[in-house]
Amino acid sequence: MLGPALCAPSRAKAQIMTLPEREYINADSMRRDFDKRPYFGLYKDNYFIFGTTVGQRPTRENSNVKFQISISQRLTRSTLPWNTYLYLFYTQKVFWNVLQNSMPMTDLNFNPGIGLAKPLFVKNRFIGQVILAIEHESNGRDGDASRSWNKVSLGANIMIDPNMVVHGKVWIPIVDGENNRDILDYSGIYQVGLQTFSNNRRFGGSVVLVKRRGWRLNYNTTVEFYWRMRKNDNQYFFVQYYNGYGEGLLEYNKFHSTIRAGIVIKPRLFSEY
């Protein structure tokens, strides 16, 4: 799905896979695909991974499953003013302590939103997209465990070439959770990143840096590597390393350094973060 979760049409896919000639995705074919593609599709990466804390002996307490489900729904049949498209999207991230008694899901993060996606073209070449969105994020808990905040975000993905995408996102926060007033000190105020693929798109990696509030160089860092298991599948073996705060809402103010591995399903051209 294009817009918040981009999938190339057949013509565009053929062009982007012809990497030695450095062909780019044609703007006309991409615009046609925006109108003809399915309404429902992927938004962010969908993954299921298991791992433990870095630098410690693995135990039942510091090892868990982390999985994410992320989808989007296009609401407009044709373009809105300025060639934009309206989407609903929803992401759910879960931390599941499968090694403990009763296997509790200790932290569920719900992230619905609505936004306008605008494809970007330069000299009749598709180079990426911009998304202006209103997002809510909470953990659905009450009492002392309740966490929630809202943000108006502006994000962009720019294809430097068919093998590399740079992305960034800034937001205006609206913190309404009584127990997480200081969330910007831990979950950040903006993010930047880089995603890259091999020429045959079988291998790839990404880095995402989320800047925590303050003047120091304090970033939450996510490093990912992925390998497509079969040539024509959209399933990858996936390794994710996280270092910093704000990995989940419940313990947003606690430092985590974790490594996990598993399976990821990715949007075809590039992922949202």
Side-chain angles (χ1 to χ4, degrees):
M1 182 171 185
L2 290 157
L6 288 168
C7 294
S10 57
R11 182 182 301 179
K13 181 179 178 182
Q15 288 183 314
I16 194 169
M17 294 298 287
T18 314
L19 296 175
E21 290 79 11
R22 281 293 187 268
E23 293 186 54
Y24 288 76
I25 301 173
N26 179 270
D28 292 335
S29 64
M30 185 62 74
R31 288 191 178 100
R32 287 194 299 269
D33 188 75
F34 264 82
D35 288 327
K36 296 178 181 179
R37 71 194 181 280
Y39 281 75
F40 181 81
L42 301 181
Y43 179 47
K44 299 180 180 181
D45 288 349
N46 287 252
Y47 56 76
F48 190 95
I49 51 179
F50 174 80
T52 190
T53 301
V54 174
Q56 298 182 16
R57 182 176 65 88
T59 66
R60 292 184 178 184
E61 286 69 34
N62 66 12
S63 304
N64 63 8
V65 164
K66 176 183 177 183
F67 66 87
Q68 178 171 281
I69 300 169
S70 186
I71 56 175
S72 67
Q73 172 73 24
R74 181 165 60 102
L75 299 178
T76 51
R77 182 177 178 83
S78 57
T79 57
L80 297 174
W82 305 291
N83 293 318
T84 59
Y85 297 79
L86 184 65
Y87 286 86
L88 279 176
F89 45 83
Y90 175 76
T91 301
Q92 182 170 316
K93 182 169 58 178
V94 178
F95 297 85
W96 187 11
N97 290 16
V98 295
L99 301 182
Q100 297 183 12
N101 292 335
S102 78
M103 297 189 296
M105 292 186 178
T106 55
D107 190 11
L108 286 77
N109 298 183
F110 307 95
N111 180 205
I114 187 170
L116 287 172
K118 177 178 174 57
L120 300 176
F121 301 95
V122 172
K123 296 181 179 179
N124 203 38
R125 293 175 176 175
F126 174 75
I127 64 165
Q129 68 175 1
V130 174
I131 299 179
L132 176 65
I134 301 173
E135 303 180 53
H136 171 77
E137 188 174 16
S138 64
N139 64 350
R141 305 279 289 272
D142 58 9
D144 293 339
S146 175
R147 309 281 189 269
S148 68
W149 66 320
N150 307 283
K151 52 189 174 183
V152 179
S153 63
L154 179 64
N157 294 275
I158 306 296
M159 299 175 67
I160 301 301
D161 65 30
N163 294 348
M164 184 177 296
V165 178
V166 295
H167 56 87
K169 187 176 181 180
V170 297
W171 48 81
I172 301 172
I174 305 169
V175 181
D176 57 356
E178 293 296 330
N179 301 311
N180 54 270
R181 291 294 186 183
D182 60 348
I183 194 170
L184 299 183
D185 296 334
Y186 301 95
S187 296
I189 54 177
Y190 70 83
Q191 68 183 41
V192 293
L194 172 71
Q195 182 179 16
T196 184
F197 283 94
S198 62
N199 281 346
N200 61 7
R201 300 187 73 82
R202 293 291 298 274
F203 301 92
S206 67
V207 177
V208 181
L209 302 175
V210 178
K211 177 65 176 70
R212 303 195 294 269
R213 183 165 59 183
W215 294 104
R216 294 181 298 171
L217 295 178
N218 49 358
Y219 290 88
N220 302 326
T221 304
T222 304
V223 180
E224 299 173 342
F225 298 97
Y226 24 89
W227 167 61
R228 190 195 302 267
M229 293 177 286
R230 288 183 291 270
K231 182 177 180 181
N232 296 320
D233 286 353
N234 193 27
Q235 301 176 35
Y236 295 78
F237 175 73
F238 183 53
V239 177
Q240 182 190 78
Y241 169 68
Y242 189 92
N243 183 275
Y245 298 86
E247 185 179 20
L249 281 178
L250 184 62
E251 296 183 338
Y252 73 94
N253 56 0
K254 294 183 179 180
F255 178 83
H256 293 92
S257 181
T258 58
I259 188 166
R260 300 180 179 92
I263 300 296
V264 65
I265 302 172
K266 303 181 71 64
R268 187 170 299 280
L269 292 184
F270 50 75
S271 302
E272 296 292 338
Y273 291 93

